[in-house]
């Protein structure tokens, strides 16, 4: 019997909407690609994107910059981190998060996750007490949103400033409130595999005047900050503009034009992602070895990827399972590997973090956690094919 295979690439995103392509061509014809290169009376694409994204988020300010990781870096700096300060973060995240903490001069202090891929609140409290950290960079990794009421209560109790990494929760919400509006600052990525695609790019949002003024100056405003799309009262810049270094990391008008065309489709695309997510989830539920995370009714997530665990697989069975799926065209990522590979890594591979921590619960969860992307170029029907292959291969790996 020949086994069925899936042939579409897991890394193929949809095309940029025609309106964005046309606008990008106009920007190129105009030659004014730099965000501060404007004619009299003209508002640059980057500034317009900032206005539109701030309005989408219901926040006062947005800054368009070069990457999500850059936004996280200057968010910490703008929030006032001092050299060597501890910064809490959940241990299941992507490398740019501890990287941003390091870049800002901080020391990552990692917190356990629970089997639903959210931060473990009991461990968070212990680490808040132990570390005395003033900052918590909460990464809503793979779109899993922790109980935000409980997170905020802890932050308040221990006087911790919350910074949200919303790389996978752009368009998502908790109890009807948008992810990214709970903390003091939120950071988003517009790198190709996220919910808006400009190749590379980042967006920072906040309601705080001083944080925004500092973030703008850090991003490299060359004292042209009055051309930014969302601007705190100009007086706020009086001291900040001379006390804050320029860490050059602006977004250009070309990328902004591409993103502006995608933003009006974000909510509709989120619904399209979720149709695919639920179709795959339902198919995987037919196999009782496969454990899917419980998601709170308060969580409106964007199902652009799916995580699951396969019970009781030994390390060699894990290898066989991944290889079996790969042979049939289903590209799984495994967060349990010792060696970091293609967009995955386990926290203990970040060896530059000095005080190495051991997080047994996170290691145990990641040892049998698999992850797959759900690009919108896949149809709902494809989800049945992919789910069937995973189901099959999990059964045969367990027999190996
Ligand atoms: C993609 C990503 C980021 C930021 O990524 P950039 O490549 O710097 O835009 C941050 N956190 C998580 C969890 C991510 O997946």
């Amino acid at each position: 019997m020949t086994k069925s295979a899936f042939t579409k690439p897991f890394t193929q995103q949809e095309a940029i909407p025609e309106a964005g392509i046309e606008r990008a061509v106009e920007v190129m014809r105009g030659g004014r690609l730099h965000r501060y290169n404007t004619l009299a009376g003209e508002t640059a694409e980057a500034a317009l994107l900032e206005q539109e994204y701030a309005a989408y988020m219901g926040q006062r300010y947005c800054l368009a910059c070069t990457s999500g990781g850059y936004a996280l870096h200057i968010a910490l700096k703008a929030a006032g981190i001092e050299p060597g300060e501890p910064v809490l973060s959940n241990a299941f995240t992507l490398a740019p998060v501890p990287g941003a903490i390091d870049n800002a001069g901080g020391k990552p202090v990692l917190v356990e996750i629970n089997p639903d891929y959210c931060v473990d609140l009991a461990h968070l409290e212990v680490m808040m007490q132990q570390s005395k950290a003033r900052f918590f960079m909460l990464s809503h990794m793979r779109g899993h949103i922790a109980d935000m009421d409980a997170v905020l209560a802890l932050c308040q109790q221990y006087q911790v400033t919350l910074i949200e990494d919303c790389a996978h929760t752009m368009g998502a919400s908790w109890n009807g409130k948008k992810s990214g509006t709970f903390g003091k600052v939120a950071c988003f990525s517009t790198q190709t595999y996220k919910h808006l695609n400009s190749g590379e790019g980042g967006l920072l949002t906040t309601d705080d005047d001083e944080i925004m003024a500092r973030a703008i100056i850090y991003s490299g405003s060359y004292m042209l900050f009055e051309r930014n799309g969302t601007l705190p009262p100009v007086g706020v810049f009086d001291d900040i503009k001379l006390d804050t270094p320029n860490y050059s990391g602006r977004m250009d008008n070309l990328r902004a034009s591409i993103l502006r065309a995608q933003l009006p489709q974000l909510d509709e695309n989120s619904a399209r992602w979720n149709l695919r997510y639920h179709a795959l989830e339902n198919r995987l539920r037919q196999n009782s070895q496969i454990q899917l995370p419980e998601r709170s009714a308060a969580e409106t997530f964007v199902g652009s990827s799916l995580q699951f665990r396969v019970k009781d697989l030994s390390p060699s069975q894990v290898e066989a399972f991944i290889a079996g799926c790969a042979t049939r065209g289903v590209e799984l990522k495994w967060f349990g590997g010792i060696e970091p590979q293609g967009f995955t890594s386990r926290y203990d591979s970040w060896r530059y973090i000095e005080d190495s921590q051991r997080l047994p619960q996170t290691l145990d969860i990641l040892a049998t956690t698999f992850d797959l992307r759900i690009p919108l170029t896949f149809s709902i029907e494809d989800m049945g094919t992919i789910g069937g292959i995973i189901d099959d291969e999990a059964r045969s790996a367990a027999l190996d």
Side-chain angles (χ1 to χ4, degrees):
M1 189 190 81
T2 52
K3 291 179 173 177
S4 63
F6 183 71
T7 52
K8 295 186 187 173
F10 277 72
T11 49
Q12 182 60 56
Q13 304 295 72
E14 290 191 298
I16 302 303
E18 281 307 316
I21 296 175
E22 279 168 26
R23 188 67 198 118
V25 169
E26 275 174 46
V27 169
M28 287 189 281
R29 292 220 163 95
R32 294 185 300 285
L33 275 69
H34 191 283
R35 65 164 303 158
Y36 295 126
N37 183 0
T38 50
L39 300 176
E42 185 181 37
T43 307
E45 290 288 317
L48 291 169
L49 172 67
E50 289 167 343
Q51 290 168 4
E52 290 160 3
Y53 196 68
Y56 174 81
M57 289 299 296
Q59 295 282 95
R60 285 161 72 189
Y61 307 121
C62 171
L63 174 71
C65 54
T66 44
S67 72
Y70 180 86
L72 290 166
H73 165 220
I74 62 167
L76 270 173
K77 294 292 295 181
I81 189 175
E82 299 288 341
E85 266 202 89
V87 178
L88 296 160
S89 185
N90 40 313
F92 178 45
T93 183
L94 221 62
V97 174
I101 296 171
D102 186 78
N103 199 9
K107 279 179 23 182
V109 176
L110 302 173
V111 183
E112 296 265 30
I113 58 159
N114 66 30
D116 297 321
Y117 304 109
C118 294
V119 66
D120 181 310
L121 294 167
H123 194 236
L124 177 62
E125 178 159 18
V126 169
M127 294 315 282
M128 280 182 172
Q129 289 166 342
Q130 275 183 14
S131 70
K132 310 238 174 354
R134 295 193 300 143
F135 300 98
F136 175 29
M137 186 166 268
L138 172 58
S139 181
H140 305 295
M141 178 64 170
R142 291 297 192 257
H144 298 278
I145 306 179
D147 178 339
M148 292 307 293
D149 302 318
V151 168
L152 286 186
L154 284 174
C155 287
Q156 200 168 21
Q157 186 182 345
Y158 293 96
Q159 300 191 328
V160 171
T161 298
L162 178 65
I163 296 175
E164 295 182 75
D165 167 23
C166 300
H168 304 154
T169 55
M170 181 186 270
S173 53
W174 173 266
N175 263 335
K177 188 170 151 59
K178 284 209 163 83
S179 178
T181 60
F182 290 87
K184 196 90 177 155
V185 197
C187 301
F188 303 80
S189 168
T190 62
Q191 190 230 80
T192 290
Y193 306 107
K194 311 299 164 84
H195 301 167
L196 297 181
N197 173 11
S198 58
E200 304 284 358
L203 298 166
L204 177 156
T205 58
T206 183
D207 268 344
D208 188 288
D209 290 346
E210 291 194 4
I211 287 182
M212 189 57 187
R214 278 189 222 111
I216 290 175
I217 303 295
Y218 276 129
S219 77
S221 73
Y222 299 113
M223 299 303 157
L224 293 169
F225 50 81
E226 290 188 55
R227 294 187 196 171
N228 273 63
T230 54
L231 195 70
V234 174
V236 177
F237 287 87
D238 283 352
D239 285 330
I240 287 174
K241 68 184 180 192
L242 302 179
D243 290 344
T244 306
N246 173 333
Y247 292 164
S248 211
R250 299 160 302 277
M251 182 181 283
D252 57 90
N253 289 331
L254 196 53
R255 286 174 207 197
S257 68
I258 293 172
L259 292 170
R260 287 186 66 214
Q262 293 171 55
L263 183 56
Q265 299 176 355
L266 177 58
D267 288 339
E268 196 190 313
N269 281 344
S270 300
R272 293 173 62 219
W273 263 304
N274 287 351
L275 284 174
R276 286 157 180 76
Y277 181 95
H278 289 301
L280 181 57
E281 183 186 41
N282 287 337
R283 178 62 187 82
L284 294 177
R285 282 199 198 286
Q286 291 177 23
N287 181 334
S288 61
Q289 295 166 277
I290 296 178
Q291 295 176 313
L292 292 147
E294 296 275 342
R295 305 199 80 147
S296 161
E299 186 191 22
T300 305
F301 62 93
V302 180
S304 54
S305 70
L306 182 142
Q307 293 69 45
F308 64 92
R309 293 213 279 156
V310 184
K311 271 190 263 185
D312 305 326
L313 286 190
S314 69
S316 67
Q317 289 171 329
V318 164
E319 303 282 352
F321 173 56
I322 295 172
C325 288
T327 311
R328 297 174 66 184
V330 173
E331 195 183 303
L332 294 181
K333 295 180 182 301
W334 180 43
F335 276 89
I338 297 172
E339 279 291 315
Q341 271 179 4
F343 287 101
T344 73
S345 57
R346 209 170 64 183
Y347 74 83
D348 49 353
S349 69
W350 305 324
R351 292 199 306 210
Y352 58 86
I353 300 180
E354 272 169 30
D355 311 318
S356 63
Q357 291 175 265
R358 221 187 122 64
L359 303 166
Q361 187 173 309
T362 299
L363 287 180
D364 183 54
I365 292 164
L366 295 185
T368 50
T369 289
F370 303 94
D371 167 54
L372 70 166
R373 287 197 172 112
I374 307 180
L376 287 175
T377 49
F378 289 2
S379 66
I380 311 259
E381 215 176 35
D382 289 340
M383 296 297 115
T385 311
I386 294 169
I389 291 172
I390 293 172
D391 176 6
D392 254 17
E393 294 299 322
R395 286 174 208 271
S396 45
L399 299 175
D400 254 12

mmCIF file of all heavy atoms in Angstrom, residues 192-218:
data_model
loop_
_atom_site.group_PDB
_atom_site.id
_atom_site.type_symbol
_atom_site.label_atom_id
_atom_site.label_comp_id
_atom_site.label_asym_id
_atom_site.label_seq_id
_atom_site.Cartn_x
_atom_site.Cartn_y
_atom_site.Cartn_z
ATOM 1 N N THR A 192 7.782 37.591 7.709
ATOM 2 C CA THR A 192 6.962 36.819 6.768
ATOM 3 C C THR A 192 6.027 35.780 7.388
ATOM 4 O O THR A 192 4.930 35.574 6.911
ATOM 5 C CB THR A 192 7.881 36.135 5.726
ATOM 6 O OG1 THR A 192 8.397 37.155 4.886
ATOM 7 C CG2 THR A 192 7.146 35.127 4.861
ATOM 8 N N TYR A 193 6.443 35.129 8.477
ATOM 9 C CA TYR A 193 5.623 34.036 9.011
ATOM 10 C C TYR A 193 4.607 34.480 10.051
ATOM 11 O O TYR A 193 3.992 33.654 10.698
ATOM 12 C CB TYR A 193 6.540 32.943 9.585
ATOM 13 C CG TYR A 193 7.543 32.484 8.565
ATOM 14 C CD1 TYR A 193 8.881 32.829 8.667
ATOM 15 C CD2 TYR A 193 7.127 31.746 7.454
ATOM 16 C CE1 TYR A 193 9.784 32.438 7.701
ATOM 17 C CE2 TYR A 193 8.033 31.350 6.492
ATOM 18 C CZ TYR A 193 9.367 31.702 6.620
ATOM 19 O OH TYR A 193 10.259 31.311 5.663
ATOM 20 N N LYS A 194 4.422 35.781 10.224
ATOM 21 C CA LYS A 194 3.479 36.264 11.236
ATOM 22 C C LYS A 194 2.156 36.651 10.556
ATOM 23 O O LYS A 194 1.905 36.220 9.444
ATOM 24 C CB LYS A 194 4.112 37.418 12.019
ATOM 25 C CG LYS A 194 5.533 37.108 12.514
ATOM 26 C CD LYS A 194 5.588 35.914 13.481
ATOM 27 C CE LYS A 194 7.002 35.376 13.657
ATOM 28 N NZ LYS A 194 7.808 36.063 14.623
ATOM 29 N N HIS A 195 1.340 37.477 11.233
ATOM 30 C CA HIS A 195 -0.020 37.695 10.705
ATOM 31 C C HIS A 195 -0.113 38.810 9.675
ATOM 32 O O HIS A 195 -1.119 38.928 8.973
ATOM 33 C CB HIS A 195 -0.992 37.921 11.864
ATOM 34 C CG HIS A 195 -1.022 36.746 12.803
ATOM 35 N ND1 HIS A 195 -1.603 36.781 14.042
ATOM 36 C CD2 HIS A 195 -0.513 35.488 12.665
ATOM 37 C CE1 HIS A 195 -1.455 35.595 14.631
ATOM 38 N NE2 HIS A 195 -0.789 34.809 13.816
ATOM 39 N N LEU A 196 0.893 39.660 9.618
ATOM 40 C CA LEU A 196 1.044 40.612 8.511
ATOM 41 C C LEU A 196 2.450 40.380 7.978
ATOM 42 O O LEU A 196 3.361 40.102 8.759
ATOM 43 C CB LEU A 196 0.924 42.073 8.984
ATOM 44 C CG LEU A 196 -0.383 42.565 9.597
ATOM 45 C CD1 LEU A 196 -0.252 44.049 9.972
ATOM 46 C CD2 LEU A 196 -1.558 42.380 8.652
ATOM 47 N N ASN A 197 2.638 40.532 6.701
ATOM 48 C CA ASN A 197 3.900 40.122 6.075
ATOM 49 C C ASN A 197 4.564 41.251 5.303
ATOM 50 O O ASN A 197 4.084 41.658 4.249
ATOM 51 C CB ASN A 197 3.589 38.933 5.138
ATOM 52 C CG ASN A 197 4.771 38.501 4.298
ATOM 53 O OD1 ASN A 197 5.904 38.921 4.520
ATOM 54 N ND2 ASN A 197 4.508 37.641 3.317
ATOM 55 N N SER A 198 5.679 41.757 5.852
ATOM 56 C CA SER A 198 6.492 42.698 5.063
ATOM 57 C C SER A 198 7.926 42.179 4.953
ATOM 58 O O SER A 198 8.856 42.964 4.800
ATOM 59 C CB SER A 198 6.468 44.094 5.702
ATOM 60 O OG SER A 198 6.949 44.053 7.021
ATOM 61 N N GLY A 199 8.080 40.885 5.039
ATOM 62 C CA GLY A 199 9.433 40.319 5.012
ATOM 63 C C GLY A 199 10.055 40.418 6.387
ATOM 64 O O GLY A 199 10.229 39.426 7.079
ATOM 65 N N GLU A 200 10.395 41.643 6.758
ATOM 66 C CA GLU A 200 10.846 41.962 8.113
ATOM 67 C C GLU A 200 10.084 43.192 8.563
ATOM 68 O O GLU A 200 9.670 44.009 7.738
ATOM 69 C CB GLU A 200 12.348 42.301 8.136
ATOM 70 C CG GLU A 200 13.274 41.250 7.576
ATOM 71 C CD GLU A 200 13.491 40.061 8.495
ATOM 72 O OE1 GLU A 200 12.947 40.042 9.624
ATOM 73 O OE2 GLU A 200 14.202 39.133 8.066
ATOM 74 N N GLY A 201 9.944 43.367 9.857
ATOM 75 C CA GLY A 201 9.303 44.581 10.365
ATOM 76 C C GLY A 201 8.776 44.378 11.765
ATOM 77 O O GLY A 201 8.594 43.245 12.215
ATOM 78 N N GLY A 202 8.562 45.494 12.465
ATOM 79 C CA GLY A 202 8.035 45.421 13.821
ATOM 80 C C GLY A 202 7.158 46.620 14.123
ATOM 81 O O GLY A 202 7.304 47.684 13.510
ATOM 82 N N LEU A 203 6.230 46.424 15.045
ATOM 83 C CA LEU A 203 5.364 47.510 15.491
ATOM 84 C C LEU A 203 5.358 47.509 17.011
ATOM 85 O O LEU A 203 5.277 46.445 17.632
ATOM 86 C CB LEU A 203 3.927 47.310 14.962
ATOM 87 C CG LEU A 203 3.764 47.313 13.438
ATOM 88 C CD1 LEU A 203 2.397 46.778 13.039
ATOM 89 C CD2 LEU A 203 3.956 48.733 12.900
ATOM 90 N N LEU A 204 5.472 48.704 17.593
ATOM 91 C CA LEU A 204 5.443 48.846 19.047
ATOM 92 C C LEU A 204 4.245 49.727 19.372
ATOM 93 O O LEU A 204 4.054 50.760 18.727
ATOM 94 C CB LEU A 204 6.765 49.475 19.488
ATOM 95 C CG LEU A 204 7.013 49.806 20.959
ATOM 96 C CD1 LEU A 204 8.531 49.837 21.222
ATOM 97 C CD2 LEU A 204 6.402 51.132 21.374
ATOM 98 N N THR A 205 3.430 49.316 20.339
ATOM 99 C CA THR A 205 2.291 50.159 20.725
ATOM 100 C C THR A 205 2.330 50.425 22.226
ATOM 101 O O THR A 205 2.800 49.598 23.006
ATOM 102 C CB THR A 205 0.941 49.505 20.378
ATOM 103 O OG1 THR A 205 0.842 48.238 21.034
ATOM 104 C CG2 THR A 205 0.763 49.322 18.882
ATOM 105 N N THR A 206 1.809 51.573 22.613
ATOM 106 C CA THR A 206 1.719 51.943 24.032
ATOM 107 C C THR A 206 0.762 53.121 24.172
ATOM 108 O O THR A 206 0.451 53.802 23.196
ATOM 109 C CB THR A 206 3.120 52.323 24.595
ATOM 110 O OG1 THR A 206 3.007 52.608 25.991
ATOM 111 C CG2 THR A 206 3.716 53.522 23.891
ATOM 112 N N ASP A 207 0.317 53.345 25.417
ATOM 113 C CA ASP A 207 -0.480 54.539 25.723
ATOM 114 C C ASP A 207 0.357 55.563 26.486
ATOM 115 O O ASP A 207 -0.148 56.610 26.861
ATOM 116 C CB ASP A 207 -1.679 54.137 26.607
ATOM 117 C CG ASP A 207 -2.915 53.803 25.789
ATOM 118 O OD1 ASP A 207 -2.969 54.165 24.596
ATOM 119 O OD2 ASP A 207 -3.834 53.175 26.345
ATOM 120 N N ASP A 208 1.609 55.226 26.749
ATOM 121 C CA ASP A 208 2.443 56.027 27.650
ATOM 122 C C ASP A 208 3.255 57.075 26.880
ATOM 123 O O ASP A 208 4.053 56.736 26.003
ATOM 124 C CB ASP A 208 3.380 55.062 28.405
ATOM 125 C CG ASP A 208 4.156 55.753 29.499
ATOM 126 O OD1 ASP A 208 5.087 56.537 29.178
ATOM 127 O OD2 ASP A 208 3.829 55.516 30.674
ATOM 128 N N ASP A 209 3.078 58.343 27.237
ATOM 129 C CA ASP A 209 3.744 59.448 26.524
ATOM 130 C C ASP A 209 5.272 59.309 26.518
ATOM 131 O O ASP A 209 5.922 59.443 25.482
ATOM 132 C CB ASP A 209 3.443 60.797 27.203
ATOM 133 C CG ASP A 209 1.994 61.228 27.012
ATOM 134 O OD1 ASP A 209 1.292 60.645 26.157
ATOM 135 O OD2 ASP A 209 1.571 62.159 27.735
ATOM 136 N N GLU A 210 5.841 59.083 27.701
ATOM 137 C CA GLU A 210 7.311 59.093 27.785
ATOM 138 C C GLU A 210 7.920 57.869 27.122
ATOM 139 O O GLU A 210 8.960 57.971 26.458
ATOM 140 C CB GLU A 210 7.757 59.171 29.250
ATOM 141 C CG GLU A 210 7.418 60.522 29.850
ATOM 142 C CD GLU A 210 8.130 60.777 31.161
ATOM 143 O OE1 GLU A 210 8.953 59.943 31.572
ATOM 144 O OE2 GLU A 210 7.839 61.833 31.757
ATOM 145 N N ILE A 211 7.271 56.728 27.314
ATOM 146 C CA ILE A 211 7.794 55.519 26.659
ATOM 147 C C ILE A 211 7.779 55.720 25.148
ATOM 148 O O ILE A 211 8.748 55.392 24.450
ATOM 149 C CB ILE A 211 6.972 54.276 27.079
ATOM 150 C CG1 ILE A 211 7.329 53.914 28.523
ATOM 151 C CG2 ILE A 211 7.226 53.100 26.132
ATOM 152 C CD1 ILE A 211 6.640 52.687 29.062
ATOM 153 N N MET A 212 6.701 56.308 24.645
ATOM 154 C CA MET A 212 6.624 56.489 23.191
ATOM 155 C C MET A 212 7.679 57.487 22.716
ATOM 156 O O MET A 212 8.347 57.265 21.694
ATOM 157 C CB MET A 212 5.231 56.985 22.790
ATOM 158 C CG MET A 212 5.046 56.978 21.308
ATOM 159 S SD MET A 212 5.332 55.301 20.639
ATOM 160 C CE MET A 212 5.256 55.651 18.916
ATOM 161 N N ALA A 213 7.855 58.569 23.448
ATOM 162 C CA ALA A 213 8.848 59.574 23.041
ATOM 163 C C ALA A 213 10.240 58.936 23.004
ATOM 164 O O ALA A 213 10.992 59.104 22.045
ATOM 165 C CB ALA A 213 8.819 60.761 23.991
ATOM 166 N N ARG A 214 10.556 58.144 24.051
ATOM 167 C CA ARG A 214 11.865 57.490 24.060
ATOM 168 C C ARG A 214 11.998 56.490 22.917
ATOM 169 O O ARG A 214 13.026 56.436 22.242
ATOM 170 C CB ARG A 214 12.114 56.782 25.398
ATOM 171 C CG ARG A 214 12.613 57.716 26.464
ATOM 172 C CD ARG A 214 13.058 56.959 27.715
ATOM 173 N NE ARG A 214 12.582 57.699 28.866
ATOM 174 C CZ ARG A 214 11.628 57.301 29.691
ATOM 175 N NH1 ARG A 214 11.062 56.119 29.534
ATOM 176 N NH2 ARG A 214 11.234 58.070 30.678
ATOM 177 N N ALA A 215 10.944 55.720 22.691
ATOM 178 C CA ALA A 215 11.009 54.712 21.629
ATOM 179 C C ALA A 215 11.247 55.376 20.272
ATOM 180 O O ALA A 215 12.040 54.885 19.458
ATOM 181 C CB ALA A 215 9.724 53.877 21.614
ATOM 182 N N ILE A 216 10.588 56.495 20.042
ATOM 183 C CA ILE A 216 10.766 57.203 18.761
ATOM 184 C C ILE A 216 12.212 57.666 18.605
ATOM 185 O O ILE A 216 12.830 57.498 17.549
ATOM 186 C CB ILE A 216 9.783 58.398 18.645
ATOM 187 C CG1 ILE A 216 8.343 57.897 18.482
ATOM 188 C CG2 ILE A 216 10.177 59.305 17.479
ATOM 189 C CD1 ILE A 216 7.290 59.004 18.483
ATOM 190 N N ILE A 217 12.765 58.236 19.693
ATOM 191 C CA ILE A 217 14.154 58.721 19.600
ATOM 192 C C ILE A 217 15.123 57.534 19.440
ATOM 193 O O ILE A 217 16.036 57.575 18.615
ATOM 194 C CB ILE A 217 14.536 59.582 20.824
ATOM 195 C CG1 ILE A 217 13.579 60.769 20.976
ATOM 196 C CG2 ILE A 217 15.989 60.070 20.705
ATOM 197 C CD1 ILE A 217 13.616 61.795 19.873
ATOM 198 N N TYR A 218 14.903 56.452 20.212
ATOM 199 C CA TYR A 218 15.742 55.261 20.035
ATOM 200 C C TYR A 218 15.709 54.783 18.584
ATOM 201 O O TYR A 218 16.725 54.382 18.021
ATOM 202 C CB TYR A 218 15.254 54.105 20.922
ATOM 203 C CG TYR A 218 15.755 54.146 22.337
ATOM 204 C CD1 TYR A 218 14.862 54.037 23.404
ATOM 205 C CD2 TYR A 218 17.118 54.251 22.626
ATOM 206 C CE1 TYR A 218 15.310 54.059 24.725
ATOM 207 C CE2 TYR A 218 17.573 54.277 23.939
ATOM 208 C CZ TYR A 218 16.666 54.180 24.982
ATOM 209 O OH TYR A 218 17.117 54.197 26.268
#
